[in-house]
Amino acid sequence: MKPKDTEGEILRAAEQEFMLKGFDGAKTASIARAAGVTHAMLHYYFRTKEQLFDRILTDKMSLMGRSVLTAFGDSRLPLLERLKEGISRHFDFLMENPDLPRFVVNEVFSRPERYEVMRESISRLANSLMQGIQCELDALAEQGEIVAIDVRVLMLDIISLNVFPFIAYPVIEPVFGSLAADRQQFFEMRKAENIEVIMCRIKK
């Protein structure tokens, strides 16, 4: 019999609780019950709710960073192909974690100190990568293949296009009716559209 992954069960239960209720609304007793452990056992693995929250947030940011930034930094592909792959992977990550964008926005507004934790997690991975991409963007612009663009502006465009549908879907679905009725189909359509928009944005 496979041994029970107690820590993993706690983390999965905690993620659902935090995403649904936020940090302030989440209860460790509810997390323990959902994970099938005692309250004492939960505190054995994670001493405080804050520690558990930080672990989930750090894991999510690291996962996103590894999957997305690795795609952008894959030197085996030409830059424009890497950008397409990075946009696609970022969107796929959001499809697998659709509540994360709204959760992050809510937590930043309600608990501004969370911003620093997220900023540090992402900036360590992003800074050197963006410097490299900027050099490649500048080279392509000099060759006349693309328009000159600041990599920070490009990344903001990508993040804005990808994140918005997940934050706004509860409003989009009733307003746009059949266009958004099939959630999976709608998000796949948005992913393809976002890639096209970014490519049109930078190509001459």
Side-chain angles (χ1 to χ4, degrees), residues 10 28-29 32 37-47:
I10 292 171
T28 53
V37 300
T38 64
H39 204 245
M41 180 64 74
L42 184 147
H43 283 287
Y44 170 79
Y45 281 91
F46 300 96
R47 291 175 181 269

Side-chain angles (χ1 to χ4, degrees), residues 68-136:
V68 176
L69 298 179
T70 298
F72 282 124
D74 186 352
S75 59
R76 295 170 298 178
L77 295 174
L79 178 61
L80 296 185
E81 291 303 312
R82 295 203 323 263
L83 290 176
K84 291 179 183 179
E85 182 68 14
I87 295 166
S88 180
R89 286 201 195 183
H90 182 236
F91 202 96
D92 289 344
F93 173 81
L94 294 173
M95 287 180 69
E96 293 170 2
N97 299 273
D99 297 324
L100 186 61
R102 196 179 308 114
F103 167 78
V104 168
V105 170
N106 288 340
E107 289 302 317
V108 166
F109 278 110
S110 63
R111 296 167 57 80
E113 67 273 16
R114 292 285 118 219
Y115 170 76
E116 188 60 26
V117 175
M118 288 182 282
R119 188 193 68 79
E120 289 181 1
S121 297
I122 295 172
S123 63
R124 284 195 300 269
L125 294 165
N127 287 341
S128 61
L129 177 64
M130 287 200 296
Q131 290 174 7
I133 291 178
Q134 185 68 69
C135 291
E136 292 184 80

Side-chain angles (χ1 to χ4, degrees), residues 8-195:
E9 292 291 338
I10 292 171
L11 287 170
R12 284 187 283 274
E15 180 180 334
Q16 292 182 354
E17 180 81 0
F18 285 128
M19 293 293 169
L20 181 65
K21 301 177 182 178
F23 179 85
D24 291 334
K27 304 296 182 187
T28 53
S30 298
I31 295 169
R33 186 163 54 250
V37 300
T38 64
H39 204 245
M41 180 64 74
L42 184 147
H43 283 287
Y44 170 79
Y45 281 91
F46 300 96
R47 291 175 181 269
T48 65
K49 184 169 78 167
E50 182 85 19
Q51 187 182 75
L52 183 54
F53 181 89
D54 286 347
R55 169 67 181 274
I56 289 170
L57 190 59
T58 299
D59 285 353
K60 286 295 181 184
M61 293 300 104
S62 295
L63 177 61
M64 182 178 68
R66 287 195 304 272
S67 62
V68 176
L69 298 179
T70 298
F72 282 124
D74 186 352
S75 59
R76 295 170 298 178
L77 295 174
L79 178 61
L80 296 185
E81 291 303 312
R82 295 203 323 263
L83 290 176
K84 291 179 183 179
E85 182 68 14
I87 295 166
S88 180
R89 286 201 195 183
H90 182 236
F91 202 96
D92 289 344
F93 173 81
L94 294 173
M95 287 180 69
E96 293 170 2
N97 299 273
D99 297 324
L100 186 61
R102 196 179 308 114
F103 167 78
V104 168
V105 170
N106 288 340
E107 289 302 317
V108 166
F109 278 110
S110 63
R111 296 167 57 80
E113 67 273 16
R114 292 285 118 219
Y115 170 76
E116 188 60 26
V117 175
M118 288 182 282
R119 188 193 68 79
E120 289 181 1
S121 297
I122 295 172
S123 63
R124 284 195 300 269
L125 294 165
N127 287 341
S128 61
L129 177 64
M130 287 200 296
Q131 290 174 7
I133 291 178
Q134 185 68 69
C135 291
E136 292 184 80
L137 289 170
D138 292 344
L140 289 178
E142 288 179 8
Q143 295 165 17
E145 295 186 31
I146 65 170
V147 299
I149 187 169
D150 187 317
V151 67
R152 295 168 297 181
V153 173
L154 177 60
M155 290 300 172
L156 183 58
D157 289 343
I158 291 170
I159 293 168
S160 299
L161 285 168
N162 278 356
V163 167
F164 177 77
F166 295 94
I167 291 179
Y169 187 78
V171 176
I172 292 172
E173 194 274 332
V175 171
F176 289 89
S178 60
L179 180 68
D182 185 321
R183 185 185 179 97
Q184 182 71 22
Q185 186 179 50
F186 170 75
F187 284 132
E188 289 292 345
M189 180 182 67
R190 289 314 309 164
K191 179 170 67 172
E193 181 73 11
N194 291 352
I195 292 171

